[in-house]
Amino acid sequence: MTETKIFARLKADHDRHRELLDRIDATHGDSDERRQLFEAFRVEVTAHAASEEMSLYAAMLADPDLRDEAQHSVAEHKEIEDFLTELYEMDFASTGWLTRFRTMKHRYLHHIDEEEEEMFPAAEKELSDAKKRELIRIFEKEKPKEKAKAAEEEPSSEEARA
């Protein structure tokens, strides 16, 4: 079975996220590098999640055989969003920040591994080729818009509760 473009595109984003997470993990204290890498990760993962929900997850939620996996992943996206808000508001120099970051990193890596190993193969099998072509078009259209939107916003507890 040949992997379709939507799944390859999502995995490419995941690979970029893994790289950013490792680079952030290697930083020390409240450095410009830590702040810049964290902001790049926050914007990238926020845009990715929103675009993924508008494309793949929307199709999966409409399919009874895929709905449960999509609902689980949407909940995990919310969990990561909450971690990002919390980290953004913490003292970047504290040991608590790095500890919390590593908890978020572990949860996010679990999430994307689960998507790649379970969710994507199930969707690959269940969705039609035409639907998968439509999903990549939606994802590629929405991601730049979501990235610009995420870059303009600063996460806060009030936004997270809204």
Side-chain angles (χ1 to χ4, degrees), residues 83-97:
F83 272 115
L84 292 172
T85 298
E86 183 180 351
L87 286 162
Y88 186 84
E89 294 177 345
M90 289 178 74
D91 177 1
F92 277 55
S94 72
T95 55
W97 190 92

Side-chain angles (χ1 to χ4, degrees), residues 22-64:
D22 287 344
R23 290 177 64 195
I24 295 165
D25 205 352
T27 63
H28 302 284
D30 189 359
S31 64
D32 287 342
E33 181 185 24
R34 177 177 280 180
R35 286 188 175 275
Q36 289 169 0
L37 290 170
F38 180 75
E39 180 62 7
F41 176 77
R42 185 191 68 77
V43 168
E44 176 61 31
V45 82
T46 300
H48 171 89
S51 304
E52 187 174 50
E53 288 175 14
M54 287 185 256
S55 57
L56 180 60
Y57 288 11
M60 291 180 71
L61 288 167
D63 185 316

Side-chain angles (χ1 to χ4, degrees), residues 14-122:
H14 292 170
D15 289 344
R16 171 84 174 122
H17 301 165
R18 287 178 180 102
E19 176 193 340
L20 283 168
L21 288 167
D22 287 344
R23 290 177 64 195
I24 295 165
D25 205 352
T27 63
H28 302 284
D30 189 359
S31 64
D32 287 342
E33 181 185 24
R34 177 177 280 180
R35 286 188 175 275
Q36 289 169 0
L37 290 170
F38 180 75
E39 180 62 7
F41 176 77
R42 185 191 68 77
V43 168
E44 176 61 31
V45 82
T46 300
H48 171 89
S51 304
E52 187 174 50
E53 288 175 14
M54 287 185 256
S55 57
L56 180 60
Y57 288 11
M60 291 180 71
L61 288 167
D63 185 316
D65 294 330
L66 300 172
R67 187 173 298 131
D68 288 346
E69 288 183 64
Q71 288 172 333
H72 174 76
S73 286
V74 168
E76 289 183 340
H77 279 186
K78 175 65 174 118
E79 177 187 24
I80 299 304
E81 179 184 325
D82 291 346
F83 272 115
L84 292 172
T85 298
E86 183 180 351
L87 286 162
Y88 186 84
E89 294 177 345
M90 289 178 74
D91 177 1
F92 277 55
S94 72
T95 55
W97 190 92
L98 192 56
T99 300
R100 197 69 180 146
F101 169 79
R102 287 179 176 154
T103 300
M104 185 273 304
K105 177 182 176 183
H106 173 77
R107 292 295 301 139
Y108 186 68
L109 292 174
H110 163 80
H111 168 73
I112 60 178
D113 288 347
E114 198 171 62
E115 281 186 334
E116 292 174 4
E117 294 166 14
E118 299 170 23
M119 192 169 141
F120 293 176

